[in-house]
Amino acid sequence: MSTQKQTALIGLSLQELTSLVEESGQPYYRGRQLFEAVYGQRVEAAEQISTLPQQFRATLAQRGFAVGLPEIEKKFVSQDGTIRYLMKFDDGQSVETVWMPEGDDGEAGDGSEAGSDADSGTGRRWDRATICVSSQVGCAVDCQFCLTALLGVKRNLSAGEIVGQVCAVLKDRKVAPPQDRVNLVFMGMGEPFLNYENFMKAARLLAEGVGIPESRMTVSTAGIVPRIIDFGAEPVRPKLAISLNASNDELRTRLMPINRKWNLEKLMSAARDFPLRAREKLTVEYVLLDEVNDSAQNAREVVELVRGLRAKVNLIALNPGPGIDFRTPAEKRVLEFQKVLTTAGVPTFIRRPRGRDIYAACGQLKRTLEIAPASALPQISA
Ligand code: SAH
């Protein structure tokens, strides 16, 4: 058996699981049982699915089916409670997934309930944890301030590998949605809209199977305009965040070369046409780079760009890292930038950096593992 290539159950839809059980001569309702075991109970092995007859569990194993959760290869714990997981897949490739026990304020004011949980008094140390999920191994978008970009793209993650990261973290944290409230942000390694089908399938499985409502999920894109349009037409979809990061085309092309393909006019036009649901707001992300894109003039340009949009702006002061030629602005500059926007009536929030001491903050994932000796980081073994 160990030499046989295993096929993952995680990542298959209810329909696909139903076909699978029927092919094995089982009644169709066993498809639902499998679906609930994989996504709802998050079993690690098919043998653990107690609702299935023993013999069918054996058949699944013989046919080479396994649940297919990623392996937690490493785990780093930050002083602020953030946990960075290195998740390893069958082919040896790995990505990072980050657990933030109190979120990072990225959900604040986006018109959903995600940022305003009143669910305390549960005895937990958190009441609105956020999991930051990766969508690709590395990234093909060449943002100059991002460490993941330095890796290049190795491959897309499958839907199962995207869902698997969430299931593995939930298991490790002993957390069970929907009773436990969890937000998801697709803001880890990779550009979700360059792996659109797998990302969307994962989002649907996470909503239907794992029990995390799509209104508690946010996907962030560097600005893949045709996919923003497709995304707006999805019947079930997370909320949308757009990484703006610059206030004019010249600057944006310098910082995010993808701006040559889809410039600000195209991007903002897609943002304006994006069909928001009742009370929903678009999130516009803006990484502040000291004396590059963080002047009062830049802020005024951002005000003009977002005018007429039902949006809020999230400011992220650069998380520095090896190989990144930008500096983090002083807090005073960040506050001044925010002031220009709020004064103009644009709701603007500053995202708290989480897990900086373990390089888990935005743009810092994975790459640092190759550079920072793992022994220098507070690690607990998986
Ligand atoms: N590819 C997607 C999602 C991953 S990046 C996107 O570009 O949106 C998630 C967020 O982290 C983006 O808003 C990105 O601009 C930001 N980011 C990247 N590198 C960063 C860094 N070094 N410091 C702070 N934020 C960073």
Side-chain angles (χ1 to χ4, degrees):
M1 246 280 293
S2 55
T3 52
Q4 186 182 1
K5 177 135 178 43
Q6 304 239 298
T7 307
L9 294 171
I10 198 163
L12 299 182
S13 65
L14 176 58
Q15 217 176 5
E16 289 165 329
L17 289 171
T18 305
S19 311
L20 188 156
V21 301
E22 286 181 327
E23 278 165 29
S24 306
Q26 292 287 322
Y28 77 95
Y29 62 81
R30 301 241 180 264
R32 165 69 64 187
Q33 290 175 326
L34 258 181
F35 187 82
E36 278 168 7
V38 170
Y39 302 107
Q41 294 169 38
R42 295 177 286 284
V43 296
E44 268 165 281
E47 298 88 76
Q48 295 170 356
I49 309 177
S50 52
T51 47
L52 299 181
Q54 193 69 52
Q55 215 220 318
F56 179 45
R57 293 185 229 172
T59 311
L60 282 174
Q62 276 154 18
R63 290 186 58 196
F65 286 105
V67 173
L69 283 175
E71 180 198 331
I72 296 177
E73 193 183 10
K74 287 203 173 76
K75 191 164 140 183
F76 301 96
V77 184
S78 162
Q79 283 168 6
D80 66 16
T82 298
I83 303 179
R84 179 172 76 145
Y85 294 89
L86 190 67
M87 301 278 186
K88 192 166 152 191
F89 302 112
D90 275 353
D91 66 348
Q93 295 283 5
S94 57
V95 297
E96 299 211 1
T97 313
V98 182
W99 163 264
M100 296 176 281
E102 291 291 340
D104 63 357
D105 293 347
E107 309 89 0
D110 65 1
S112 77
E113 14 150 25
S116 57
D117 263 338
D119 184 20
S120 44
T122 52
R124 281 194 310 246
R125 291 202 318 281
W126 57 274
D127 59 16
R128 54 179 186 88
T130 298
I131 302 175
C132 180
V133 184
S134 293
S135 57
Q136 297 181 306
V137 182
C139 189
V141 184
D142 199 18
C143 303
Q144 299 297 298
F145 44 81
C146 179
L147 279 136
T148 304
L150 298 174
L151 297 168
V153 68
K154 303 270 178 10
R155 67 170 175 85
N156 281 337
L157 294 185
S158 66
E161 289 169 334
I162 297 172
V163 178
Q165 293 169 61
V166 177
C167 291
V169 171
L170 294 176
K171 278 188 90 70
D172 186 67
R173 296 290 85 212
K174 301 189 173 56
V175 169
Q179 298 87 327
D180 294 322
R181 295 186 168 193
V182 171
N183 300 317
L184 297 183
V185 293
F186 298 93
M187 299 187 185
M189 295 170 66
E191 167 50 51
F193 282 5
L194 291 180
N195 184 18
Y196 186 79
E197 295 302 332
N198 291 344
F199 151 71
M200 272 312 300
K201 186 177 187 190
R204 285 190 293 267
L205 291 171
L206 286 160
E208 286 163 28
V210 180
I212 302 173
E214 63 271 20
S215 59
R216 291 185 162 275
M217 304 178 193
T218 303
V219 62
S220 176
T221 179
I224 314 297
V225 168
R227 293 296 85 73
I228 293 177
I229 297 165
D230 294 343
F231 186 63
E234 296 284 352
V236 174
R237 61 156 179 84
K239 293 174 292 176
L240 178 64
I242 294 178
S243 296
L244 183 65
N245 296 340
S247 60
N248 58 62
D249 273 315
E250 192 200 332
L251 189 55
R252 195 163 191 274
T253 299
R254 209 174 104 210
L255 300 176
M256 301 175 72
I258 196 164
N259 193 63
R260 278 198 202 99
K261 188 145 187 187
W262 295 290
N263 64 15
L264 282 172
E265 192 192 319
K266 290 181 182 148
L267 180 61
M268 297 322 285
S269 147
R272 268 188 299 276
D273 291 346
F274 191 77
L276 292 167
R277 293 176 284 233
R279 294 189 12 256
E280 186 183 1
K281 274 189 189 142
L282 205 70
T283 299
V284 172
E285 294 159 285
Y286 197 97
V287 181
L288 290 164
L289 312 170
D290 190 37
E291 291 184 38
V292 172
N293 67 353
D294 67 340
S295 71
Q297 174 60 21
N298 292 129
R300 285 190 290 272
E301 288 174 358
V302 171
V303 169
E304 290 313 311
L305 285 175
V306 303
R307 195 178 290 286
L309 274 186
R310 185 152 28 107
K312 58 121 177 180
V313 173
N314 269 0
L315 300 177
I316 320 164
L318 174 77
N319 293 307
I324 298 299
D325 276 341
F326 298 100
R327 291 183 314 268
T328 309
E331 194 184 1
K332 183 165 170 285
R333 281 182 81 83
V334 177
L335 291 172
E336 280 167 9
F337 196 95
Q338 180 187 33
K339 189 85 192 295
V340 174
L341 273 86
T342 50
T343 305
V346 180
T348 305
F349 301 85
I350 299 171
R351 214 143 87 187
R352 284 190 291 158
R354 301 304 311 266
R356 260 195 192 164
D357 55 339
I358 54 164
Y359 288 110
C362 300
Q364 295 190 306
L365 298 178
K366 167 101 175 174
R367 165 86 177 161
T368 46
L369 250 197
E370 296 167 6
I371 292 166
S375 56
L377 296 169
Q379 180 181 358
I380 47 176
S381 61

